[in-house]
Every structure is written in C-alpha cells, then in structure tokens.
Amino acid sequence: MAETQGKVITCRAAVAWGPKEPLVIQEICVDPPQEMEVRVKILYTSICHTDLGTWTGVNEAERAFPRILGHEAVGVVESVGEGVKDVKEGDYVIPAFNGECGECRVCKKEVSNLCERYKVDPMKRLMVNDGGTRFSTTTNKDGGLSQSQRIYHFLNTSTFTEYTVLDSACVVKIDPNAPLKQMSLLSCGVSTGVGAAWNTAKVKEGTTTAVFGLGSVGLAVAEGARARGASRIIGVDANASKFEKGKVMGVTDFINPKDLTKPVHERIRELTRGGVDYSFECTGNVDVLREAFLSTHAGWGSTVLVGIYATPRTLPLHPMELFDGRKITGSVFGGFKPKSQLPSFAQQCMKGVVKLEPFITNELPFEKINDAFQLLRDGKSLRCLLQIAKFLKK
C-alpha cells in the first residue's frame, strides 16, 4: 500500500447527515495518519445497537452530524503515523472503542480498563492530536458539490467507511490466520458480553445466572457463562423468537415476561430456590435493572449492568436494599484491556472456547447498510456483517 502512504485517500463511506436520515454512500477524503495514529482499510464491519441509538439521536447531547458511525470491524493497516511501534503496514487489526494507552495510571492497574486518555466517550467526535477530523467531503448528502466540509468521528473508531483513521491506542493487532469475519465481533458485542461474565462477574463453575435481554450482548453473556461452566442460565426476553438462538449459546431456561402474572424476579426466585448467583442487565432499561437486581440471591447475589442507559432516570433502588449483601456494578467492554488482553481472547475464540459463528445472522454488501439497520431495528438480526473491501491474504 506504499502508493497511498502519506497521501489523502478518496474512498466510499456511509455518512450519517442527520438523526434517522438514511445513511448516504458517498465519496469522502481520508487524511494520512498523524503522530501515534493509524490508517486502516476496513474489510468487514457490523452494526450494533449503539450505532442505532446514535443514528436515531436518542441523546441530543451526543448528536454531531455529518458523522461516520460504526465501531465493530476488522481491517488491515494501510499506514501508520510517527511514533507507532506496535502495528505496521499489512497487519490485521480490530478497532477498539475503549482504548488502552498503556502508560496512564489506570492502564498500569489491573482493576480497570478505562484508560484516562482513550476510554470510551460517546461525546467525543474529534481526534486527540489536534482536535480535528481526518474525514472530509466536497459533496452534500444529495451528491451536489459544496465547500469542503469535515465529517465527525464516532467512538474512537468510525468503521462505516473503506478507510478510517484511529489513535494507535484503539488499534489491536490480531493473528493473521484468524477468521476475519468473526474477529469483527470482538470489537464490541461479544467481548462486552463474554467479558462481563468472565472479568466483571467472574462466573464460577456450577453457579446460576440470569440474563435480561437476549440481543447480541446478552447472548454473549450467556455464551461466556456457558464457557465458565454455569449450571443454569436463565434467559429473559419479551421476544420469544430469540429463545432458539439462546439454546445454542447455552441458555437452559427461558422466561417471557408477557407470559407471567407475577414479577420476573419472583419467578426466578422460585426456579432457583431464592435467586441466582449472578444477573446481567443488557437492555438499558432501569425497570428491568430492578428486576435483575431482585432476582439475585440475598447474601451474595451480584448484578452487572451491561446495557446503555439513555434515560436521565437514576438507579431504581433504595439504599437499604443493599444491606442484604447483594452487589451491583457496571461493566465497560467486558472489563477487557483491549491491546493487552484481546489478542489472547481472540486465540481462545479460535480454539472454540467461545463460539462466534452463531452471532452472524446476516451478511449484506456495503451498499445495503440501511437494510442492515432496519434488520436490527426489527429485531431480525443479531449481527449483520457488511463486506466493505476485498482483500486477499498474502
């Protein structure tokens, strides 16, 4: 790729011009990487509910348009900026929305993965180096000519484009022999869910769990609990069509709240003689969070928040409810430190410890990205994989 190094690349991207407006596939310009930045050719990308939420503009404070969304992907390094040592041209990589500089006091501690400089920030839309963007366009959303206009970044990544520029702290090198399509899932959903079970809750063999919300992240939690030997995994979802997929991921029992005449937590307590050891809230709904909390066993039950909460409502708990020994905590990116821990996790996935293939339910060409969004909105897709560029391994 020496012919493009140091030059502006003109390529295609799916640009979001406003809330709920169809993404526009158009030509953009992608600047070369600056110091400690990496330019990546995206091979495959997939769509997550976080992309969907930002596109719909649920949280007005996060709105910034035009913007290139996307944060689950796999690609190959096209070029690197000055100072980048850990990846080089031709390396296969996945982007990480929650970065790891390796130098700050948080990165040097084992207890947290929230890097002081590159942790996930939904409000961030500009590069760290100079407060600018690496994307621009000379056409408007209708294809007409206009003055050069910058396009905002998203979640440290922006993967709905043939080429993107990331801070090197947000680029993770993977085994070149890894199945590339499946590796894209490690950028968010699977790592977030499996890590919540492994790193945050630390699910032990023979324990019981309840997973509220059986989307991609919830099913990844179930898969993580299965891999750790949980004896019972109760899946809770109002969409009964998700139960068959749940069985593949190790879910042993299913509860549809629509079928109950009592609160979900009461039914779970009946099934488990007092409550589960671990519960995971994966919907981003505070009312569901309360049910998840109450479904755990008094004395040692632990609830992990995995969903994204757009609501301004606070925790639906009374302080005295914590005096019975139950715990509640949050999990970002499954507690994984991306650069230092994801390569090992990828190896485990390659060995079959965690099954990735069942998460990819649809595949479409890049031009059909709006159809992929609709599949997710309709609940008909876990992960729809979009092929952005063709690349043959050497």
Side-chain angles (χ1 to χ4, degrees):
M1 303 179 194
E3 67 275 8
T4 55
Q5 290 183 11
K7 301 176 183 178
V8 174
I9 291 178
T10 300
C11 68
R12 297 182 309 157
V15 181
W17 284 91
K20 298 182 181 180
E21 294 184 16
L23 303 186
V24 178
I25 303 286
Q26 64 180 82
E27 278 195 352
I28 66 163
C29 296
V30 182
D31 293 340
Q34 295 189 13
E35 182 180 1
M36 297 306 293
E37 294 177 357
V38 181
R39 188 159 62 183
V40 175
K41 180 178 183 178
I42 299 296
L43 304 178
Y44 298 97
T45 190
S46 48
I47 300 169
C48 168
H49 273 283
T50 303
D51 301 310
L52 189 61
T54 303
W55 172 70
T56 56
V58 173
N59 189 337
E60 291 189 14
E62 296 179 11
R63 293 182 181 180
F65 298 100
R67 199 172 199 179
I68 296 176
L69 304 177
H71 60 287
E72 277 194 352
V74 63
V76 61
V77 173
E78 177 271 339
S79 60
V80 300
E82 182 183 349
V84 177
K85 298 286 194 292
D86 57 341
V87 295
K88 64 184 185 304
E89 176 193 347
D91 283 345
Y92 289 92
V93 295
I94 56 176
F97 66 83
N98 191 55
E100 180 186 358
C101 73
E103 299 176 353
C104 71
R105 60 179 179 173
V106 175
C107 285
K108 291 180 178 179
K109 290 181 177 290
E110 294 183 2
V111 296
S112 176
N113 66 340
L114 298 179
C115 173
E116 290 182 325
R117 197 174 189 198
Y118 297 102
K119 67 182 177 183
V120 59
D121 179 2
M123 312 297 289
K124 181 182 173 185
R125 57 203 65 170
L126 303 170
M127 298 298 287
V128 171
N129 259 340
D130 60 356
T133 74
R134 304 293 174 260
F135 305 126
S136 62
T137 181
T138 54
T139 61
N140 57 34
K141 62 182 178 181
D142 299 316
L145 296 177
S146 66
Q147 292 184 337
S148 180
Q149 181 175 4
R150 69 180 183 179
I151 303 173
Y152 292 111
H153 294 256
F154 175 65
L155 284 185
N156 292 325
T157 49
S158 291
T159 63
F160 294 163
T161 172
E162 291 176 332
Y163 287 88
T164 189
V165 176
L166 308 91
D167 295 297
S168 63
C170 300
V171 178
V172 180
K173 182 179 177 179
I174 59 171
D175 188 328
N177 297 312
L180 296 182
K181 289 183 179 181
Q182 297 176 17
M183 288 297 102
S184 68
L185 303 175
L186 303 190
S187 289
C188 180
V190 170
S191 298
T192 296
V194 173
W198 289 8
N199 305 324
T200 308
K202 294 180 171 59
V203 171
K204 295 180 175 59
E205 185 176 358
T207 55
T208 56
T209 66
V211 182
F212 288 74
L214 298 180
S216 290
V217 172
L219 289 173
V221 170
E223 175 68 6
R226 179 203 62 77
R228 283 292 185 262
S231 62
R232 198 166 194 176
I233 303 171
I234 302 172
V236 182
D237 202 292
N239 184 349
S241 67
K242 295 181 179 180
F243 292 170
E244 283 304 313
K245 181 67 74 171
K247 291 179 183 178
V248 178
M249 310 297 189
V251 180
T252 58
D253 303 81
F254 298 93
I255 295 177
N256 188 333
K258 295 179 181 178
D259 297 337
L260 299 181
T261 57
K262 62 180 68 174
V264 172
H265 75 268
E266 290 186 8
R267 179 57 181 152
I268 290 177
R269 286 181 180 180
E270 290 174 354
L271 291 172
T272 57
R273 294 192 300 173
V276 292
D277 300 304
Y278 312 96
S279 70
F280 299 85
E281 203 295 299
C282 306
T283 70
N285 183 305
V286 292
D287 295 320
V288 176
L289 170 59
R290 179 164 181 79
E291 287 297 305
F293 175 76
L294 294 175
S295 73
T296 60
H297 201 290
W300 62 78
S302 178
T303 299
V304 179
L305 285 67
V306 189
I308 302 297
Y309 297 82
T311 175
R313 291 173 59 189
T314 55
L315 284 175
L317 305 173
H318 190 281
M320 294 301 294
E321 291 181 303
L322 297 172
F323 276 70
D324 67 0
R326 294 186 179 99
K327 301 175 184 177
I328 186 168
T329 188
S331 180
V332 174
F333 196 50
F336 280 113
K337 290 179 179 286
K339 293 180 81 72
S340 55
Q341 295 179 332
L342 272 194
S344 174
F345 179 48
Q347 288 292 330
Q348 290 177 289
C349 292
M350 291 172 66
K351 294 175 181 177
V353 176
V354 171
K355 295 174 289 187
L356 297 179
E357 190 173 355
F359 288 94
I360 301 176
T361 53
N362 308 82
E363 293 189 41
L364 290 173
F366 188 30
E367 294 79 8
K368 298 288 186 181
I369 189 169
N370 288 302
D371 294 342
F373 264 74
Q374 193 60 48
L375 285 171
L376 191 61
R377 295 181 76 185
D378 294 342
K380 297 179 179 179
S381 169
L382 290 179
R383 282 296 184 267
C384 181
L385 197 71
L386 301 170
Q387 181 171 349
I388 301 223
K390 294 182 180 179
F391 187 82
L392 298 177
K393 293 185 180 182
K394 295 179 182 180

